[in-house]
Amino acid sequence: MNVQPAQDLPEFGTWLNAAPSTLMEHRGRPVVLAFVNAASAWCAQRLAELALWQARNPGKLQLVIVQVPRFDFERQPQQALKLLRRAGATAPILLDADWQTWRRFKVEAWPTLVLIDAQGRERDRLVGLGGELDRALHGLCDGLSAPLEDDIRGGAEMNAEPRLPLRFPTGLAATADRLYVSDTGHHRVLECTHGGRILRQFGLGTADMVNGSASEATFNRPRGLALGRDVLYVADTGNHALRRINLLSGQVDTLCGTGRPGAPVEGQLSQPWDSPLHYPLGVAVAENQLLVAMAGDNRIWSYDLGNHRLSWRAGAGGIEVRDGSGHLAAFAQPSAVVAVQQVLYVCDALGSAVRSMQLRGDLVQTLLGQGPWEFGNHDGPRSQALLQFPQAIAHSADAPVLWIADAGNGLLRTLRLGGGELSTVQLPRRLHSPAGLAVAAGKVFIAETDGHAVLCYDPNSGELGEVPIEE
């Protein structure tokens, strides 16, 4: 076991949601430094595991999140804080904008947990996902006295998010007269009119995984939505599951997933829990199949709605932007998908890319994007155009155009299919991390995630307005 005095945190660091502190101030209590990247699904999963352990063991240790940016926009304190709060993070967050803390602790990968005992000595490190997290954390706390009441209560966050009807909305779906919203932070799915009046709420609003009627069922940070005939499919991200809402009866059930992350199992499933899933973010319907963007394993999967067969369609598993057929291709955290005829278009978040996959043959090609570390804000030919952390795509039924939510740049972009160039839509203002799109009735609906709002853009008039979501 590596036991040595730990370095301390930078004296003049940027704290996002708490008063500045040092490791010296926490002597007498174990500390876990979680080096994460807010844009990473793997890091979000590790933070969720830590939060679950802390809920079961309140006050036993102090968690400090060290946010180390991959993208330029993550160096902005407010945007970094919002991105972590989307994942449910409430622990003190230190923004390591220049990677100083990363280098001081000799960290080499996201996520890395540095475990520091009550005497201020580094006891262990957990790199990546997996590992015996429970055993390591319990070992860190063994032999210590019961936590104080103040430690159990924890400190209140500074500059808390406002209480609004929506909290970090993401996935959207729309028909000619209905708008469906994944109210991710409130763990529910809403059915609204285009004017914003809530008609139905699916889910109690508590983070759990329960099937049943609209008023009995529960979700956990639902994200992507896709409409089928009288059915709404949900990528229930926090539950690592695919869920289905019967829009006629309001009944919610589970198609696939166990409620916990794991390596999906190919084959015909006799029961939904026969295979785990790993951080599904986006979902689309094509030819009686659900196409799933699985961010946790960087692959595209399909679920056959007829025979309940789960199939690994494309992606090798590593974070990479590589073209090829099926398993020879590679994705970098696919976050959204849309099916257009015989093509699936994929929004590759960490690759700052838009990819295409032929539904017959599973050939993957890159439409936009230069690689996992190449990003920016440039319109023009596909070979030169750049995005930054795109989060959603949608298709215009009346035109060969893809709409792209360029979250890192706060922009709405368009790409004309068939060889067209990337263009920026001239909106009245910059968007606050858009992460959901839907096109219906000649309008583009935008989930302005960090603004806790849904917007409506009229391409004909150029008007942009908020959809007032309310009961």
Side-chain angles (χ1 to χ4, degrees):
M1 181 182 296
N2 178 28
V3 179
Q4 58 182 339
Q7 296 276 347
D8 211 327
L9 300 172
E11 185 177 358
F12 301 105
T14 301
W15 292 83
L16 302 183
N17 62 341
S21 65
T22 64
L23 295 182
M24 182 65 71
E25 294 173 30
H26 294 292
R27 286 287 175 89
R29 188 181 183 204
V31 175
V32 174
L33 296 182
F35 286 83
V36 302
N37 173 253
S40 164
W42 290 350
C43 292
Q45 178 55 36
R46 191 48 119 184
L47 290 176
E49 293 167 354
L50 284 166
L52 182 61
W53 190 92
Q54 286 189 295
R56 294 170 175 169
N57 302 275
K60 285 194 172 183
L61 57 79
Q62 175 63 57
L63 173 63
V64 175
I65 299 171
V66 184
Q67 152 63 5
V68 187
R70 168 190 284 266
F71 295 103
D72 287 343
F73 81 94
E74 292 179 274
R75 289 181 166 83
Q76 303 300 316
Q78 189 66 7
Q79 293 191 61
L81 175 59
K82 293 267 190 178
L83 203 52
L84 285 164
R85 279 181 172 166
R86 276 195 230 175
T90 59
I93 301 169
L94 172 65
L95 176 59
D96 193 24
D98 57 3
W99 292 42
Q100 178 185 353
T101 313
W102 173 284
R103 291 191 297 269
R104 177 176 292 190
F105 283 83
K106 296 181 173 60
V107 177
E108 297 181 349
W110 292 299
T112 291
L113 305 183
V114 178
L115 278 56
I116 300 170
D117 65 20
Q119 288 73 46
R121 301 170 301 185
E122 181 177 334
R123 289 278 298 274
D124 201 358
R125 290 193 178 202
L126 299 179
V127 181
L129 295 178
E132 297 187 1
L133 179 64
D134 279 5
R135 177 182 292 183
L137 296 182
H138 283 300
L140 190 66
C141 300
D142 276 351
L144 298 179
S145 57
L148 300 175
E149 191 66 31
D150 286 348
D151 293 335
I152 293 175
R153 285 199 302 268
E157 277 198 282
M158 298 168 58
N159 305 313
E161 296 295 323
R163 293 183 178 273
L164 296 170
L166 299 178
R167 184 178 177 86
F168 297 117
T170 49
L172 297 177
T175 66
D177 62 351
R178 291 289 186 269
L179 176 64
Y180 297 92
V181 182
S182 279
D183 189 8
T184 305
H186 287 142
H187 311 291
R188 61 180 185 167
V189 176
L190 303 177
E191 180 183 49
C192 309
T193 66
H194 283 192
R197 182 165 64 89
I198 297 175
L199 303 175
R200 285 188 289 181
Q201 171 180 316
F202 302 100
L204 285 172
T206 55
D208 206 342
M209 187 176 175
V210 177
N211 295 328
S213 67
S215 59
E216 297 170 336
T218 55
F219 297 90
N220 187 352
R221 302 192 180 281
R223 295 283 295 264
L225 301 176
L227 279 163
R229 185 176 180 180
D230 298 326
V231 174
L232 182 66
Y233 299 100
V234 183
D236 193 5
T237 304
N239 281 322
H240 306 277
L242 296 177
R243 312 290 293 282
R244 175 175 57 189
I245 301 173
N246 185 314
L247 294 176
L248 297 180
S249 66
Q251 192 76 9
V252 178
D253 65 354
T254 300
L255 295 176
C256 181
T258 63
R260 298 185 64 82
V265 179
E266 280 197 284
Q268 189 168 346
L269 309 180
S270 59
Q271 300 291 343
W273 52 86
D274 285 346
S275 174
L277 300 179
H278 196 183
Y279 220 84
L281 284 181
V283 62
V285 184
E287 297 182 332
N288 206 40
Q289 292 192 336
L290 291 184
L291 286 307
V292 185
M294 201 81 71
D297 68 1
N298 298 295
R299 294 183 171 108
I300 302 299
W301 292 76
S302 66
Y303 176 86
D304 192 297
L305 294 166
N307 62 22
H308 314 300
R309 178 172 292 276
L310 187 64
S311 302
W312 169 18
R313 300 291 293 271
I319 297 176
E320 191 177 349
V321 177
R322 185 176 72 235
D323 293 349
S325 181
H327 302 179
L328 298 177
F331 295 92
Q333 196 170 298
S335 61
V337 285
V338 60
V340 182
Q341 297 177 347
Q342 291 299 316
V343 181
L344 183 74
Y345 294 98
V346 183
C347 188
D348 224 4
L350 294 187
S352 295
V354 174
R355 322 286 295 284
S356 68
M357 186 186 88
Q358 301 295 325
L359 292 179
R360 295 179 180 174
D362 297 340
L363 177 65
V364 176
Q365 296 175 296
T366 301
L367 304 185
L368 292 170
Q370 315 299 324
W373 292 95
E374 299 293 328
F375 53 86
N377 178 14
H378 296 297
D379 288 343
R382 298 181 182 190
S383 60
Q384 302 171 17
L386 292 174
L387 304 166
Q388 182 180 192
F389 193 57
Q391 287 288 282
I393 51 176
H395 175 249
S396 288
D398 56 351
V401 173
L402 284 180
W403 298 84
I404 305 168
D406 188 359
N409 290 316
L411 300 174
L412 181 63
R413 318 288 285 273
T414 59
L415 177 67
R416 180 166 287 275
L417 299 177
E421 298 185 349
L422 180 71
S423 301
T424 298
V425 178
Q426 298 303 312
L427 299 177
R429 63 173 177 82
R430 190 170 291 269
L431 303 175
H432 300 295
S433 295
L437 291 174
V439 180
K443 306 292 177 61
V444 180
F445 294 95
I446 306 165
E448 191 176 39
T449 305
D450 284 358
H452 308 297
V454 174
L455 310 179
C456 180
Y457 171 67
D458 186 335
N460 294 319
S461 67
E463 293 183 359
L464 179 72
E466 184 173 339
V467 179
I469 305 291
E470 57 187 2
E471 301 288 348

